[in-house]
């Protein structure tokens, strides 16, 4: 059974002015926004999108692009001139006032840019306000408020007035109040834009922490591209009332729909947007733990590598094996790799952003291992790939690794075939062996 989208907007128009419907008719006929000025101001033009349950959907654009008007249409603060909004499959547009109040109370909560706290009420009373509107008893709602305040890092602040809190703390109260409403959907209109940069970044990270626990559906409005890229599962980019592209942060960064979006993303901090999963390569070679040293040697020879990851049947890394250690096992007649396995030096999760990969990459003697949520090896990131993902950089022919040189292929072949090394390789290889 499929579930409806948490929110669905279909062909939304919002025109402010004396003849809004005439303006919509002209816009549908192909008129530009500036050509219908005699009828009114078109804030939103033919916007359609769906927001899936549990998704952070970011709507971004410059001032005047229509993003804040859209979010007010999603909760009925602005009535749509044309088009529809559905909440979890139920119509929000065109319903009566009582039905609209019910939908807001039960399914939608709003976090405002300027906190909108009640100054004469304590922090706990502000958080408990949605529960008060529902008729929840005082003791129960204040206990719930204290529980949620702890969740957002404000334990012990419940008896203070909002004026005693910093801007960042007041915004946490606003988020806590929205969470107290216990709706599935949160609408956040420029929620962090009034905060200074350090507090703003802290709030962004806390929102993601909360989302991992609560799994709400969030529509987040911002004019800041880096914020959109950091928070959004998907992003809708707006210009002049229209949505010009919807996609994942990677889609928008690497495949902009037009020149406007391309110029918009030029200065984005790619290291904070792209993840290990975005840039990783297939983990080749990779050896199963049940394989013997001869198999490992062949794979390293064919890939011209001096070491390889060893995984169990579920592709979880159990260690690494070097060509020299594998060769010792072959010479000793061993059939298992276990005795010579070394620990995996470094690994990262697929969702780790690139800015956190530089130190692990430098410290790893192999291309950096990338693991999924279950700890399975899903890819590797060579250092050259990491650098190339951040923009223009060294070419693939430049030396960018500190890997030891692999053993000569002839030497590996000799060991695999049981031929004495001195008879199978030339003086250059014997000299290399002497140096080692």
């Amino acid at each position: 059974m499929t579930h409806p989208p948490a929110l669905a907007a279909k062909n939304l128009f919002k025109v402010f002015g004396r003849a809004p419907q005439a303006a919509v008719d002209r816009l549908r006929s192909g008129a530009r926004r500036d050509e219908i000025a005699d009828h009114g101001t078109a804030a939103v033009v033919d916007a359609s999108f769906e927001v899936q349950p549990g998704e952070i959907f970011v709507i971004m654009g410059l001032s005047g692009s229509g993003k804040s008007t859209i979010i007010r249409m999603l909760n009925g603060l602005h009535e749509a001139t044309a088009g529809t909004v559905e909440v979890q499959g139920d119509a929000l547009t065109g319903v009566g006032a009582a039905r609209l109040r019910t939908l807001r109370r039960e399914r939608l909560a709003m976090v405002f840019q300027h906190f909108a706290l009640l100054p004469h009420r304590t922090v706990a009373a502000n958080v408990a306000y949605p529960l008060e509107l529902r008729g929840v008893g005082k003791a129960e709602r204040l206990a719930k408020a204290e529980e949620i305040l702890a969740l957002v890092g404000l334990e012990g602040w419940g008896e203070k007035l909002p004026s005693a809190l910093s801007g960042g703390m007041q915004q946490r109260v606003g988020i806590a109040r929205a969470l107290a409403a216990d709706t599935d959907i949160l609408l956040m209109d420029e929620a962090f834009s009034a905060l200074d940069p350090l507090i703003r970044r802290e709030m962004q990270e806390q929102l993601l922490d909360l989302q991992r626990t609560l799994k709400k559906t969030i529509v987040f409005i911002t004019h800041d591209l880096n914020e959109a890229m950091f928070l959004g599962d998907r992003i809708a980019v707006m210009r002049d009332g229209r949505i010009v592209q919807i996609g994942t942060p990677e889609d928008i960064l690497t495949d902009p729909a037009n020149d406007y979006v391309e110029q918009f993303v030029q200065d984005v901090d790619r290291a904070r947007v792209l993840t290990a999963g975005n840039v990783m390569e297939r983990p080749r070679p990779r050896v199963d733990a049940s394989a013997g040293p001869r198999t490992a040697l062949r794979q390293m020879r064919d890939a011209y590598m001096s070491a390889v990851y060893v995984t169990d049947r579920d592709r979880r890394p159990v260690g690494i094996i070097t060509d020299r250690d594998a060769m010792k096992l072959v010479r000793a007649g061993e059939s298992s790799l276990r005795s010579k396995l070394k620990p995996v030096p470094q690994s990262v999760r697929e969702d780790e952003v690139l800015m956190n990969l530089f130190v692990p990459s430098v410290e790893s003697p192999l291309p950096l291992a990338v693991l999924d949520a279950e700890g399975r090896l899903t890819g590797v990131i060579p250092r050259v790939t990491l650098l190339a993902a951040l923009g223009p950089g060294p070419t693939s022919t430049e030396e960018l690794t500190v890997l030891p040189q692999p053993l000569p292929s002839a030497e590996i072949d000799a060991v695999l075939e049981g031929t004495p090394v001195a008879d199978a390789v030339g003086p250059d290889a014997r000299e290399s062996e002497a140096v080692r």
Side-chain angles (χ1 to χ4, degrees):
M1 181 177 178
T2 59
H3 295 281
L7 282 166
K10 299 178 182 178
N11 307 114
L12 278 183
F13 289 80
K14 182 59 182 176
V15 179
F16 298 96
R18 61 183 184 83
Q21 194 57 56
V24 169
D25 292 340
R26 290 192 60 190
L27 289 166
R28 283 174 171 163
S29 299
R32 297 192 310 272
R33 190 162 74 157
D34 59 341
E35 293 175 336
I36 56 95
D38 53 332
H39 296 303
T41 300
V44 176
V45 181
D46 200 16
S48 297
F49 58 88
E50 293 183 348
V51 183
Q52 301 305 318
E55 179 180 29
I56 299 182
F57 186 81
V58 176
I59 302 175
M60 66 153 302
L62 299 177
S63 178
S65 61
K67 58 189 185 298
S68 290
T69 301
I70 276 191
I71 202 169
R72 282 163 171 76
M73 294 167 76
L74 295 181
N75 70 356
L77 288 175
H78 286 332
E79 183 179 353
T81 307
T84 61
V85 175
E86 293 183 356
V87 180
Q88 297 170 327
D90 294 329
L92 180 115
T93 45
V95 301
R99 175 60 175 164
L100 183 58
R101 284 194 298 271
T102 299
L103 288 172
R104 287 175 181 160
R105 183 172 61 248
E106 296 179 354
R107 305 195 195 182
L108 299 161
M110 188 88 167
V111 181
F112 297 93
Q113 177 180 356
H114 295 292
F115 321 141
L117 303 181
L118 301 171
H120 59 286
R121 289 186 172 225
T122 65
V123 166
N126 267 279
V127 173
Y129 188 61
L131 300 176
E132 182 180 341
L133 294 178
R134 292 185 185 177
V136 177
K138 183 176 181 180
E140 182 182 348
R141 67 179 184 253
L142 289 179
K144 183 67 174 178
E146 291 293 347
E147 177 186 329
I148 296 173
L149 284 171
L151 190 65
V152 298
L154 289 177
E155 187 173 9
W157 288 86
E159 296 306 312
K160 303 288 185 182
L161 290 174
S163 58
L165 276 60
S166 68
M169 295 170 75
Q170 289 185 48
Q171 191 58 287
R172 290 175 196 236
V173 176
I175 293 173
R177 181 177 57 192
L179 294 177
D182 199 27
T183 62
D184 292 333
I185 302 168
L186 295 182
L187 305 178
M188 305 183 73
D189 186 13
E190 299 270 12
F192 304 147
S193 63
L195 306 176
D196 68 65
L198 290 179
I199 299 299
R200 183 173 187 167
R201 186 67 179 186
E202 181 183 333
M203 292 299 299
Q204 292 166 4
E205 291 171 349
Q206 182 166 39
L207 179 63
L208 292 181
D209 288 341
L210 286 170
Q211 178 67 351
R212 280 187 279 270
T213 302
L214 302 176
K215 296 178 171 56
K216 298 287 187 180
T217 301
I218 299 174
V219 178
F220 193 98
I221 303 297
T222 183
H223 63 271
D224 186 308
L225 181 60
N226 281 309
E227 182 170 69
M229 294 282 184
F230 183 70
L231 294 176
D233 295 311
R234 287 188 303 142
I235 300 169
V237 182
M238 294 194 70
R239 182 187 189 188
D240 295 337
R242 298 180 184 272
I243 294 176
V244 295
Q245 185 171 3
I246 297 177
T248 66
E250 183 190 9
D251 292 336
I252 289 171
L253 188 60
T254 60
D255 189 22
N258 54 35
D259 290 344
Y260 175 78
V261 180
E262 185 174 6
Q263 291 173 6
F264 215 88
V265 303
Q266 275 183 347
D267 298 324
V268 72
D269 186 351
R270 300 169 70 93
R272 293 183 180 272
V273 175
L274 296 178
T275 65
N278 296 147
V279 303
M280 68 183 182
E281 302 175 2
R282 284 187 60 192
R284 293 185 302 178
R286 176 191 64 85
V287 177
D288 194 274
S290 62
R294 291 178 179 274
T295 298
L297 270 178
R298 286 192 182 95
Q299 292 217 28
M300 285 184 272
R301 176 197 62 190
D302 294 344
Y304 196 66
M305 294 187 68
S306 60
V308 65
Y309 286 106
V310 181
T311 63
D312 63 16
R313 291 181 178 180
D314 295 322
R315 295 178 67 91
R316 292 182 175 87
V318 297
I320 66 172
I321 187 78
T322 67
D323 53 3
R324 288 165 176 77
D325 285 339
M327 186 172 287
K328 290 175 184 176
L329 292 172
V330 172
R331 286 171 172 163
E334 298 284 343
S335 60
S336 172
L337 299 171
R338 295 284 181 181
S339 64
K340 291 293 185 181
L341 286 182
K342 293 180 170 62
V344 174
Q346 293 284 346
S347 65
V348 297
R349 291 277 297 271
E350 288 178 323
D351 58 357
E352 196 71 65
V353 293
L354 298 192
M355 68 174 295
N356 295 333
L357 304 189
F358 293 102
V359 171
S361 179
V362 168
E363 293 178 349
S364 177
L366 281 171
L368 190 59
V370 182
L371 311 182
D372 65 12
E374 282 73 45
R376 295 184 294 249
L377 181 69
T378 56
V380 296
I381 303 178
R383 212 163 302 157
V384 65
T385 300
L386 178 59
L387 295 176
L390 299 177
T395 67
S396 59
T397 59
E398 293 181 89
E399 186 59 44
L400 291 169
T401 71
V402 293
L403 290 175
Q405 287 297 307
L407 292 171
S409 295
E411 187 172 341
I412 294 176
D413 291 340
V415 171
L416 292 174
E417 295 167 7
T419 307
V421 174
D423 296 336
V425 301
D428 292 341
R430 288 197 294 273
E431 180 181 350
S432 174
E433 178 70 23
V435 170
R436 285 195 294 273

